[in-house]
Amino acid sequence: MSPYVLLARLAGPLQSWGLSSRFDQRDTHLRPTKSGFVGLLAAAVGFNREDPITPLDELRFAVRADRPGTPVEDYHTVGGGRYPLRPRDLITDHRLNRTMAPLFDDVPGRAFGVMPSPSADGWYGAPKGIAPDADSGQLLARTGHRNPIITNRSYLADAQFVAAVEHEDKQMLDELAVALEQPRRLLWLGRKSCPPAGEISGGVHPGCIEEVFATTRLLPQATSEQPWTWVEVAPGTTGASRINDQPVSFHPTHRSYAPRWERRVRIEPGQSIGWEHLL
């Protein structure tokens, strides 16, 4: 069977495609990852994180950097400052304050809303790691200190990419194209704080990725007449490099990825496939 390709325009004020993010260090790859784009497609069609991602994991992937954007860093804090004790009326009503403070003091453990002092006057640091206790169901915080959690988050500013996925099942690609414009879940460019700008789907076209890119125009704000393209290839292909972004599962408790191979090439853009319908 002959292959078909779904094109997608990935553009927005900020994008962030994490490749090795851990805890307080949230990096971004310099281009969209396969796992990130497949995750966007999965959200568009309404997959839950626990669902198997087949057949989306069978898609062959490529991305062209028409406008690579500018890397930026965000110094980000979470949970700092002073907050009123909950419920709030314990702060504003001194009579309730006096009545309820002893009850709070009698609660064992570090409970959400509990002050370490005998009085409920004053303020407390926003608790971190709030979760129900396994035995009592009471909301507990792993720590109540006032120091904020500091994270470093990386983004690409003003970037524009053309992503492509290839498969022989045209009907599936057509359904994905519709889902990108009528998504069942919110879409974002790698991170929830990065919504896409404008329409995404560039339609479904006959041919392999290399053939379709050779007939696809540059995006209007492209910064290079012949931008780099990263194309997924078979293992062992000459000039290919390994990247660990083949999605296996998006399950929230055991997300997993596998390696795949890609090759960086320059494919001279054509003029047949345009972007007027998106702009």
Side-chain angles (χ1 to χ4, degrees), residues 102-112 114 133 136 138-141:
L103 299 179
F104 277 104
D105 292 337
D106 291 338
V107 176
R110 190 183 291 277
F112 179 53
V114 173
D133 180 71
S136 67
Q138 184 180 25
L139 287 177
L140 303 180

Side-chain angles (χ1 to χ4, degrees), residues 99-218:
T99 303
M100 297 298 295
L103 299 179
F104 277 104
D105 292 337
D106 291 338
V107 176
R110 190 183 291 277
F112 179 53
V114 173
M115 290 287 290
S117 64
S119 172
D121 287 329
W123 304 73
Y124 76 111
K128 282 72 169 187
I130 300 172
D133 180 71
D135 297 323
S136 67
Q138 184 180 25
L139 287 177
L140 303 180
R142 289 194 299 270
T143 176
H145 63 73
R146 293 176 177 173
N147 296 328
I149 298 173
I150 298 173
T151 67
N152 292 286
R153 307 190 181 199
S154 302
Y155 300 89
L156 298 175
D158 299 322
Q160 295 186 14
F161 301 94
V162 178
V165 286
E166 175 189 312
H167 201 275
E168 294 178 348
D169 188 342
K170 183 177 184 297
Q171 180 179 348
M172 178 183 69
L173 295 180
D174 286 335
E175 292 172 354
L176 291 174
V178 172
L180 286 175
E181 300 311 321
Q182 302 174 25
R184 299 186 63 182
R185 300 186 186 278
L186 292 176
L187 305 182
W188 51 81
L189 303 179
R191 192 173 292 161
K192 291 182 180 180
S193 59
C194 304
E199 297 182 23
I200 298 176
S201 174
V204 177
H205 309 274
C208 66
I209 283 175
E210 291 85 350
E211 294 169 342
V212 172
F213 268 137
T215 60
T216 301
R217 296 181 197 172
L218 294 172

Side-chain angles (χ1 to χ4, degrees), residues 78-92:
V78 180
R82 295 161 69 85
Y83 296 82
L85 184 67
R86 297 185 180 184
R88 186 176 177 83
D89 58 8
L90 293 183
I91 295 296
T92 58

